[in-house]
């Protein structure tokens, strides 16, 4: 897999982000899972009978009788299961030629998502010894696994549910394949198990050259069979391995009889010889030295991103037009891009060496949609002929030939997915109230002669502005000469290449797969929002038009955001890491969901109107600040200069300014400064904290460290001690507590520390909410309100209560509009939860928001949705939570009379604090 050179780990598989990745996997899987397929049909369809001779097959009678129907721990299930699968005699076996290892026991931290491994992995007899000798710290199991089995102690943790065996047709049509959970804890367990299963399958695909994969899940004595490919996953119906041990045994027996290709291996990829590996290592090393002008240890480190000794393979490419008679062999090792999801294009990119010419090439291995009239190779090849500058040159490309010859065909076809063939089967049930549709994918390879490094390796201001100017020329040439829009200018689609005739690396615009032809008016022929969310234009991020079409100004705006993004990450400026993280999330990542609409760009729009973001940044390069301010004025003129900058947002004007700017300004060449954007809000709650995170984690226990010596912190704690008397600090929260409980208990201490650190409660609340990304909003939005409300009720500090209550009301408003449960939990003196209900009505405001969203500009929508809107507030810009209401909240203790008494006492305290005619009443 791709390697992170800054850290000794695989790129994209950070353990602390496993929880966030797995939740994303689960959400995406609802769009590509088909089932429940009858188990017998599953076996007959995907595991053909090779031989009728079953003399070496062990009897299936009571084969899995030792597996308990329900157990206390998964170990009580996978241990007898592995024993049963490995059972053999001198002449018979359950799965001849294969061994089943309890790989969960090879994990250092099996209970942590980022370190977990499958409970059981199946290896060939030749490879099992390699795995056993390897260090347990490694992930070698995923590189050699033929299939894996994921185990749960109880059938109740199955994420899916089958219809009743004899249900009538209307019931079958309405049946939801995904299970509905009434208990949050049960849902969390099922989501965790299913997310791990998907994560393991994803990693197997990323570490092996595969076309498909078989896996198994066992819940007590109930099992499901899975077949994964790049279109999706087909899942069998659940069956009892006690009652149907013959089906379970038949699956493993047939699996043992399959060829390598029939088990999902891509046979167009083979191990290289020692001579070929030497050729690869020497050729790539020389090219890296040329590109980076590096030597010694620096060169060795850079080489490790492309070459792993002992892991060089030879990939066959069948060029289009060769009639199948010509095959070009390429040597590859470690990819620079690894697919971290299962369905879709799943692009994998390699620095490759052509065996015939010994030249360094770039191999793009992907799964395309066969219905496309043109492949990316066709598009880029035609643009090469038209003379478009600064795009890669195509050497050759072609679809990958399949090694499996279908029974009804005389010759082999191409490697294609099969999940799409079963979308109309009568057993396929709906998910989320709609039928699941997946598209067909075909494996293809594109070889290009242009090889370079990501723009993220830029050395300074000079290289950033020169290389992005090169990319702008590529976009302009493609539009004017080839009548084509790229539609996805992003930081991931720009590479820098060192060329002999130029001291600065040249920028190349790559990945033209999403490009589209334009009509006579310059508008894309095909509608729909396409591109990278972070860099989309304001117009495209407006979610009200699903068929919106791209224009060239949209691509120009995306390139502007690429420059701004790279400058924030790699050029000197005045922002702290905390402020950078907040700005990056609000400006580039924020997603707004409302009544089925998905949109964003509100902060981009706000900055375009009043420069609320960019005017607060002091850049280390005055020249870059001049360039950025001028181009932003071209894009959206300020109110004071509407006439001066009117109609300047066009290709000709921007090219004239940019080229003249580069000629007349001396730019910094080596002023690269790497700024880290924190991902603390997406950290796995069960993974260890990083040594020095840029932001304090709002989920975990507050860290004291540097804050211990702050006098402001001590003052905040003293106020809290005065309010609570001599009561002790809250005890450290045990990880066994639910996430919402942990946030509620630890919230007050977190908030007090932040007040001391930021100097005001309002700024602390903004920061606290900014730490919670929308992917964990289901827990932490409410926790933020709990924390701030608790602070208001217990603190005697002068904190401008009306302003803070005003912000709390805004947050509560949009939580209610999102369908969040109106009950809110507050932390009382004794640490218990108490229920309160809001007394305000929000229906009229909600209707106005929906009307504004359907017919008005985004700014008007925000004004109506948040009448107390300030320029850039994490509260205002926070996305709507996509979560289930909280359940099982503890009720108030005591008799009805006692409860009424406490409620009256609370109302009296409120009147004393705010007056009987307070402008903004408390949201609770």
């Amino acid at each position: 897999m791709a390697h992170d050179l800054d850290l000794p780990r695989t790129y994209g598989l950070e353990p602390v982000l496993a929880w966030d990745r797995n939740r994303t996997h689960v959400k995406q899987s609802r769009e590509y899972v088909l089932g429940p397929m009858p188990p017998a049909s599953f076996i007959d369809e995907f595991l053909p009978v090779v031989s009728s001779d079953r003399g070496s097959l062990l009897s299936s009678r009571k084969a899995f009788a030792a597996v308990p129907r329900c157990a206390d721990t998964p170990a009580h299930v996978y241990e007898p299961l592995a024993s049963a699968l490995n059972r053999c005699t001198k002449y018979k076996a359950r799965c001849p030629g294969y061994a089943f290892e309890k790989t969960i026991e090879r994990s250092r931290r099996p209970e942590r998502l980022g370190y977990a491994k499958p409970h059981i992995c199946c290896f060939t007899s030749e490879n099992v010894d390699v795995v056993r000798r390897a260090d347990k710290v490694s992930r070698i199991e995923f590189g050699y696994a033929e299939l894996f089995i994921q185990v749960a102690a109880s059938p109740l943790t199955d994420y899916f549910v089958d219809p009743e065996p004899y249900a009538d047709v209307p019931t079958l049509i309405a049946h939801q394949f995904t299970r509905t959970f009434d208990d949050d804890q049960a849902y969390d367990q099922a989501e965790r198990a299913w997310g791990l299963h998907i994560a393991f399958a994803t990693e197997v695909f990323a570490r092996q050259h595969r076309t498909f994969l078989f896996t198994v899940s066992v819940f007590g004595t109930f099992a499901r069979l899975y077949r994964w490919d790049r279109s999706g996953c087909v899942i069998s119906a659940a069956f009892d391995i006690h009652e149907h041990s013959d089906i379970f045994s038949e699956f493993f027996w047939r699996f043992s009889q399959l060829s390598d290709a029939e088990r999902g291996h891509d046979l167009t990829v083979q191990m290289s010889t020692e001579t070929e590996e030497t050729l690869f290592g020497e050729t790539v090393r020389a090219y890296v030295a040329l590109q980076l002008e590096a030597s010694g240890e620096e060169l060795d480190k850079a080489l490790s991103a492309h070459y792993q000794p002992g892991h060089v393979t030879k990939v066959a490419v069948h060029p289009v037009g060769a009639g199948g008679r010509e095959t070009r062999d390429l040597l590859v090792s470690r990819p620079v891009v690894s697919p971290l999801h299962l369905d879709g294009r799943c692009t994998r990119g390699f620095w490759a060496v052509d065996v015939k010419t010994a030249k360094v090439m770039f191999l793009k291995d992907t799964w395309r949609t066969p219905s496309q009239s043109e492949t990316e190779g066709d598009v880029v090849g035609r643009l090469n002929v038209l003379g478009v500058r600064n795009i890669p040159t195509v050497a050759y490309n072609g679809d990958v030939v399949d090694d499996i010859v279908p029974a009804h065909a005389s010759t082999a076809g191409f490697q294609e997915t099969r999940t799409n063939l079963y979308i109309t089967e009568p057993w396929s049930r709906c998910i989320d109230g709609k039928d699941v549709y997946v598209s067909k994918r075909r494996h293809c390879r594109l070889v290009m002669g242009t090889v370079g490094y990501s723009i993220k390796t830029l050395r300074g201001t000079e290289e950033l502005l020169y290389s992005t100017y090169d990319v702008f020329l590529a976009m302009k040439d493609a539009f004017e000469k080839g009548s084509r829009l790229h539609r996805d200018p992003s930081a991931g689609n720009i590479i820098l290449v060192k060329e002999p005739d130029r001291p600065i690396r040249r920028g190349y615009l790559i990945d033209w797969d999403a490009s589209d032809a334009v009509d006579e008016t310059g508008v894309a022929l095909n509608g729909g929002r396409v591109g990278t969310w972070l860099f989309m234009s304001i117009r495209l991020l407006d979610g009200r038009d699903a068929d919106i079409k791209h224009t060239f100004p949209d691509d120009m705006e995306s390139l502007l955001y690429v420059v701004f993004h790279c400058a924030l990450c790699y050029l000197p400026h005045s922002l702290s890491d905390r402020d950078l993280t907040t700005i990056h999330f609000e400006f580039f990542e924020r997603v707004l969901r409302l009544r089925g609409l998905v949109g964003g760009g509100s902060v981009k729009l706000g900055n375009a109107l009043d420069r609320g973001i960019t005017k607060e940044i002091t850049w280390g390069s005055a020249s870059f600040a001049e360039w950025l301010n001028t181009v932003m004025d071209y894009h959206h003129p300020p109110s004071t200069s509407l006439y001066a900058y009117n109609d300047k947002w066009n290709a000709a004007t921007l090219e004239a300014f940019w080229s003249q700017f580069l000629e007349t300004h001396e730019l910094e060449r080596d002023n690269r400064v790497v700024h880290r954007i924190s991902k603390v809000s997406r950290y796995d709650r069960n993974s260890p904290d990083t040594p020095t995170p840029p932001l304090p984690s709002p989920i975990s226990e507050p860290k004291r460290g540097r804050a211990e010596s702050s006098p402001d912190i001590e003052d905040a704690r003293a106020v809290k001690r005065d309010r609570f008397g001599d009561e002790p600090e809250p005890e450290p929260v045990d990880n066994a507590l639910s996430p919402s409980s942990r946030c509620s208990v630890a919230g007050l201490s977190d908030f007090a520390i932040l007040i001391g650190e930021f100097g005001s409660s309002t700024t602390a609340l903004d920061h606290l909410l900014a730490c919670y990304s929308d992917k964990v909003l289901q827990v932490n939005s409410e926790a933020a309100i709990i924390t701030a409300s608790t602070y208001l009720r217990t603190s005697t500090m002068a904190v401008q209560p009306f302003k803070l209550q005003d912000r709390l009301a805004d947050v509560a408003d949009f939580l209610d509009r999102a369908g969040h449960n109106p009950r809110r939990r507050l932390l009382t003196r004794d640490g218990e939860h108490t229920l309160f209900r809001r007394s305000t009505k929000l229906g009229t405001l909600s209707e106005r928001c929906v009307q504004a969203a359907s017919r008005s500009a985004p700014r008007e929508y925000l004004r109506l949705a948040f009448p107390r809107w300030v320029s850039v507030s994490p509260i205002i810009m926070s996305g709507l939570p996509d979560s289930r209401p909280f359940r099982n909240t503890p009720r108030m203790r005591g008799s009805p009379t006692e409860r009424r008494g406490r409620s009256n006492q609370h109302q009296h305290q409120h009147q004393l604090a705010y007056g009987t005619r307070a402008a903004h009443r408390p949201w609770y």
Side-chain angles (χ1 to χ4, degrees):
M1 292 186 65
H3 191 58
D4 190 337
L5 293 182
D6 296 329
L7 297 169
R9 66 185 178 209
T10 302
Y11 181 78
L13 293 181
E14 298 89 339
V16 292
L17 298 178
W19 178 69
D20 182 66
R21 285 197 305 271
N22 290 5
R23 291 193 66 223
T24 302
H25 286 324
V26 171
K27 183 178 180 180
Q28 293 175 344
S29 71
R30 301 174 76 92
E31 301 177 359
Y32 63 70
V33 164
L34 299 179
M37 187 177 191
S41 301
F42 184 99
I43 294 174
D44 290 338
E45 188 75 16
F46 299 129
L47 293 88
V49 178
V50 179
S51 172
S52 58
D53 182 13
R54 296 172 178 269
S56 60
L57 174 62
L58 278 175
S59 172
S60 62
R61 185 172 178 270
K62 295 185 178 181
F64 308 100
V67 178
R69 292 190 177 275
C70 190
D72 294 332
T73 65
H76 294 155
V77 178
Y78 71 73
E79 288 180 353
L81 178 61
S83 178
L85 292 172
N86 284 322
R87 186 188 174 197
C88 62
T89 64
K90 186 175 180 180
Y91 299 105
K92 295 185 178 182
R94 192 82 62 204
C95 190
Y98 295 86
F100 293 84
E101 289 288 304
K102 294 176 285 187
T103 46
I104 185 66
E105 298 176 358
R106 290 180 50 83
S107 173
R108 292 182 299 166
R109 303 178 178 93
E111 296 302 322
R112 293 176 177 170
L113 295 176
Y115 299 91
K117 296 179 181 180
H119 292 99
I120 300 174
C121 277
C122 174
F123 305 103
T124 62
S125 301
E126 297 80 12
N127 292 332
V128 67
D129 290 333
V130 178
V131 175
R132 289 170 179 169
R133 290 193 301 267
D135 193 332
K136 291 185 178 181
V137 177
S138 72
R139 310 283 287 181
I140 193 173
E141 297 86 356
F142 296 92
Y144 287 96
E146 297 293 336
L147 65 76
F148 65 81
I149 304 173
Q150 194 64 8
V151 171
S154 169
L156 298 178
T157 55
D158 189 355
Y159 192 76
F160 302 98
V161 59
D162 301 336
E164 294 296 329
Y166 303 104
D168 54 21
V169 174
T171 302
L172 289 175
I173 294 176
H175 180 78
Q176 297 287 320
F177 187 35
T178 52
R179 187 186 300 273
T180 301
F181 297 84
D182 295 328
D183 180 72
D184 283 350
Q185 184 176 3
Y187 176 83
D188 291 340
Q189 291 176 355
E191 183 187 54
R192 175 188 172 91
W194 177 230
L196 271 177
H197 197 131
I198 304 172
F200 294 153
T202 302
E203 190 166 352
V204 170
F205 270 105
R207 293 186 182 276
Q208 300 184 29
H209 292 274
R210 278 190 168 274
T211 57
F212 60 89
L213 173 70
F214 290 111
T215 66
V216 181
S217 64
V218 177
F219 308 89
T221 60
F222 285 87
R224 292 188 187 273
L225 310 176
Y226 303 77
R227 183 190 182 275
W228 309 80
D229 61 26
R230 293 309 192 181
S231 279
C233 179
V234 177
I235 306 178
S236 79
F239 59 95
D240 194 321
I241 62 175
H242 283 181
E243 299 177 6
H244 302 284
S245 59
D246 55 333
I247 295 179
F248 209 40
S249 296
E250 182 71 12
F251 171 80
F252 290 105
W253 164 256
R254 291 198 186 186
F255 182 84
S256 69
Q257 306 302 305
L258 299 177
S259 66
D260 290 341
E262 291 171 331
R263 294 198 310 276
H265 292 285
D266 182 2
L267 299 188
T268 62
V269 181
Q270 300 290 333
M271 291 300 298
S272 66
T273 64
E274 292 185 5
T275 302
E276 291 169 336
E277 179 171 350
T278 301
L279 171 65
F280 177 85
E282 293 177 350
T283 305
V284 172
R285 184 181 183 88
Y287 192 80
V288 170
L290 173 66
Q291 289 295 311
L292 299 181
E293 299 176 344
S295 60
E297 293 183 0
E298 181 183 358
L299 177 57
D300 293 337
K301 180 180 179 181
L303 180 63
S304 67
H306 311 286
Y307 173 42
Q308 184 178 5
H311 293 78
V312 177
T313 55
K314 183 165 57 178
V315 180
V317 179
H318 299 83
V320 174
R325 294 183 297 272
E326 181 184 1
T327 300
R328 301 294 294 269
D329 291 331
L330 295 171
L331 301 175
V332 301
S333 184
R334 190 190 295 276
V336 295
V337 177
S338 297
L340 298 176
H341 49 88
L342 277 168
D343 68 318
R345 295 185 57 80
C346 301
T347 300
R348 198 185 327 224
F350 299 89
W351 281 29
V353 173
D354 190 309
V355 174
K356 185 177 181 179
T357 63
K359 291 184 178 180
V360 176
M361 317 291 281
F362 188 84
L363 171 62
K364 183 176 181 180
D365 183 282
T366 188
W367 291 78
R368 69 179 183 89
T369 303
S371 58
Q372 291 176 318
S373 58
E374 291 181 306
T375 66
E376 182 183 2
D378 298 332
V379 171
V380 179
R382 187 174 66 256
L383 295 178
N384 289 153
V385 174
L386 293 174
V388 175
R389 293 169 286 180
N390 306 323
I391 64 172
T393 57
V394 174
Y396 43 88
N397 67 289
D399 295 330
V400 182
V401 176
D402 199 350
D403 297 288
I404 303 176
V405 180
H408 59 276
S410 58
T411 59
F414 299 105
Q415 291 182 359
E416 295 179 339
T417 58
R418 293 183 61 182
T419 302
N420 51 281
L421 301 177
Y422 304 97
I423 56 177
T424 59
E425 289 295 322
W427 46 259
S428 180
R429 303 272 71 85
C430 61
I431 296 179
D432 296 332
K434 58 184 180 181
D435 293 333
V436 178
Y437 176 81
V438 296
S439 59
K440 181 180 180 180
R441 295 280 176 177
R442 176 179 292 178
H443 198 185
C444 65
R445 291 179 177 134
L446 170 63
V447 182
M448 293 171 285
T450 306
V451 185
Y453 281 91
S454 167
I455 194 175
K456 298 176 183 179
T457 65
L458 64 90
R459 294 169 178 167
T461 305
E462 181 183 46
E463 198 164 62
L464 173 61
L465 293 184
Y466 271 89
S467 62
T468 47
Y469 176 68
D470 296 332
V471 169
F472 172 74
L473 294 179
M475 293 163 42
K476 181 173 178 291
D477 281 1
F479 181 71
E480 295 177 350
K481 300 178 181 179
S483 300
R484 200 162 195 91
L485 292 173
H486 187 276
R487 299 204 299 177
D488 189 18
S490 65
N493 290 336
I494 299 175
I495 62 172
L496 307 180
V497 181
K498 181 73 170 64
E499 297 178 348
D501 59 343
R502 180 169 165 169
I504 308 168
R505 289 185 291 181
R506 184 181 301 276
Y508 281 82
L509 183 59
I510 63 173
D511 196 359
W512 289 80
D513 181 68
S515 66
D516 193 18
V518 298
D519 58 20
E520 61 277 2
T521 64
V523 178
L525 295 179
N526 297 294
R529 186 162 53 194
V530 179
T532 303
W533 183 271
L534 277 67
F535 308 106
M536 284 185 185
S537 66
I538 298 171
R539 188 179 74 91
L540 293 176
L541 288 176
D542 187 344
R544 292 172 292 178
D545 185 2
D547 296 323
I548 192 169
K549 295 184 177 181
H550 286 240
T551 63
F552 189 75
D554 291 321
D555 278 7
M556 291 171 55
E557 186 176 345
S558 294
L559 185 60
L560 169 61
Y561 297 143
V562 170
V563 177
F564 181 44
H565 176 272
C566 291
L568 287 174
C569 295
Y570 305 112
L571 294 186
H573 52 67
S574 60
L575 294 177
S576 65
D577 287 347
R578 179 187 295 110
D579 293 337
L580 173 61
T581 298
T582 301
I583 288 177
H584 186 273
F585 179 77
E586 301 297 341
F587 194 94
F588 294 103
E589 300 180 40
R590 175 63 73 189
V591 180
L592 181 65
R593 295 180 175 88
L594 179 66
R595 301 288 178 93
L597 300 178
V598 180
S602 53
V603 180
K604 290 179 180 177
L605 175 61
N607 186 73
L609 295 174
D610 58 15
R611 304 297 187 271
I613 294 289
T614 52
K615 72 181 180 182
E616 299 298 330
I617 305 173
T618 302
W619 299 98
S621 170
S623 297
F624 176 79
E626 178 187 347
W627 182 94
L628 182 65
N629 292 332
T630 303
V631 176
M632 284 193 167
D633 288 344
Y634 282 1
H635 169 240
H636 197 289
S639 57
T640 57
S641 307
L642 289 176
Y643 180 78
Y645 291 100
N646 190 32
D647 296 330
K648 289 200 178 247
W649 190 240
N650 57 75
T653 304
L654 183 58
E655 181 185 10
F657 162 75
W658 206 335
S659 60
Q660 183 181 12
F661 181 90
L662 296 178
E663 292 175 358
T664 57
H665 287 71
E666 185 175 350
L667 303 175
E668 295 81 359
R669 176 164 297 185
D670 296 305
N671 63 335
R672 173 185 175 92
V673 177
V674 178
H675 305 275
R676 297 296 181 185
I677 296 174
S678 171
K679 299 179 182 178
V680 169
S681 60
R682 304 207 298 263
Y683 276 8
D684 181 5
R685 294 183 295 267
N686 293 321
S687 290
D689 298 318
T690 53
T692 55
L695 287 172
S697 173
I699 300 176
S700 61
E701 186 181 355
K703 296 176 177 60
R704 305 301 180 185
R706 177 180 56 83
E708 284 286 0
S709 59
S710 171
D712 295 331
I713 300 297
E714 293 299 327
D715 291 342
R717 291 176 183 164
V719 170
K720 189 178 75 170
R721 285 194 297 270
D722 293 340
R723 180 65 180 171
F724 282 108
D726 294 329
E727 294 184 9
E729 294 273 339
E731 292 294 328
V733 182
D734 187 271
N735 285 336
L737 293 175
S738 66
S740 56
S741 299
R742 292 205 303 276
C743 290
S744 300
V745 175
L748 180 60
S749 181
D750 273 335
F751 195 63
I753 291 176
L754 289 175
I755 290 174
E757 188 168 339
F758 287 98
S760 71
S761 59
T762 52
T763 307
L765 176 60
D766 281 353
H767 171 71
L768 190 64
L769 289 174
C771 289
Y772 302 133
S773 70
D774 55 352
K775 294 184 179 179
V776 293
L777 210 53
Q778 63 186 39
V779 171
N780 297 324
S781 290
E782 185 165 90
I785 299 178
I786 293 169
T787 300
S789 301
T790 303
Y791 173 79
L792 284 178
R793 296 173 60 240
T794 57
S795 176
T796 58
M797 296 176 69
V799 295
Q800 296 180 304
F802 291 130
K803 289 188 177 182
L804 189 55
Q805 285 287 11
D806 191 56
R807 296 187 180 205
L808 291 174
D810 282 337
V811 177
D813 284 354
F814 81 73
L815 286 176
D816 280 358
R817 286 197 300 277
H820 218 37
N821 195 314
R823 297 181 299 176
R824 303 292 180 227
R825 287 170 290 181
L826 301 179
L827 189 65
T828 59
R829 275 189 67 177
D830 56 357
E832 297 177 357
H833 296 301
T834 307
L835 292 180
F836 293 91
R837 288 183 177 274
R838 295 194 60 202
S839 59
T840 57
K841 303 295 183 182
L842 299 167
T844 303
L845 180 60
S846 301
E847 293 177 3
R848 293 174 62 196
C849 292
V850 174
Q851 294 172 2
S854 62
R855 69 174 185 269
S856 304
R859 185 177 178 84
E860 176 67 8
Y861 163 69
L862 288 173
R863 187 183 68 79
L864 291 177
F866 304 98
R868 310 170 185 91
W869 181 64
V870 292
S871 178
V872 179
S873 170
I875 300 177
I876 302 306
M877 301 306 170
S878 45
L880 297 176
D882 183 12
S883 63
R884 308 174 309 286
F886 285 91
R887 305 180 180 90
N888 302 328
T889 307
R891 300 183 63 83
M892 293 178 64
R893 296 185 178 181
S895 65
T897 302
E898 292 171 339
R899 292 200 297 271
R900 284 196 299 271
R902 285 199 293 269
S903 178
N904 293 336
Q905 181 184 7
H906 174 74
Q907 292 179 3
H908 177 66
Q909 292 173 349
H910 161 62
Q911 292 174 358
L912 291 177
Y914 297 100
T916 56
R917 297 181 181 272
H920 304 291
R921 297 186 182 276
W923 62 267
Y924 50 83

